[in-house]
Amino acid sequence: MVTYTDSQIVELGDKIIQTLKTIYDPEIPVDIYELGLVYDVQISDEGSVKVTMTLTSPNCPVAESLPAEVKEKISGLDQVKEVELELTFEPSWSKDMMSEEAKFELGML
């Protein structure tokens, strides 16, 4: 079994964030990371990844496809052994969770 060093985990974390920034909510022209839909990313020493995320609303039209896309894209990274995705609505997503960059993109600043 391969065990990653702290620097390898940090590097993998950066790759995961870059991957998340390629996934967009189809209704909003901003990636899901900057939108604040990703609450947490945990990486084990063995390369298992757990992503906790939400959607803009429980009735979001991409409620099934968006989490599947996240899981698929992260699973495609070389160092990732497995991906667990937890979809949560606690706390509920709000516009306050968006990054400054996302707010700027949407003309909210």
Side-chain angles (χ1 to χ4, degrees):
M1 178 168 60
V2 176
T3 301
Y4 294 120
T5 64
D6 288 346
S7 63
Q8 288 173 314
I9 291 173
V10 168
E11 182 181 319
L12 180 55
D14 290 343
K15 287 180 184 177
I16 291 170
I17 289 170
Q18 290 309 311
T19 300
L20 292 169
K21 288 184 173 193
T22 68
I23 304 169
Y24 288 78
D25 183 312
E27 297 179 333
I28 306 170
V30 176
D31 68 77
I32 63 169
Y33 187 81
E34 296 298 336
L35 272 178
L37 297 180
V38 178
Y39 288 169
D40 191 32
V41 176
Q42 298 174 0
I43 306 167
S44 76
D45 293 343
E46 293 81 32
S48 295
V49 176
K50 180 178 181 187
V51 177
T52 304
M53 66 174 288
T54 193
L55 302 170
T56 52
S57 77
N59 299 323
C60 182
V62 293
E64 290 186 24
S65 62
L66 191 62
E69 181 180 359
V70 169
K71 190 171 183 176
E72 179 183 324
K73 286 194 172 181
I74 293 173
S75 294
L77 295 173
D78 288 340
Q79 297 169 299
V80 173
K81 303 301 177 226
E82 66 180 344
V83 177
E84 177 187 347
L85 193 132
E86 179 183 344
L87 192 60
T88 183
F89 294 99
E90 294 294 326
S92 297
W93 180 83
S94 73
K95 292 177 184 174
D96 294 337
M97 296 175 169
M98 295 178 3
S99 69
E100 296 293 314
E101 181 181 322
K103 290 176 183 175
F104 180 78
E105 285 288 320
L106 297 173
M108 299 172 71
L109 285 180

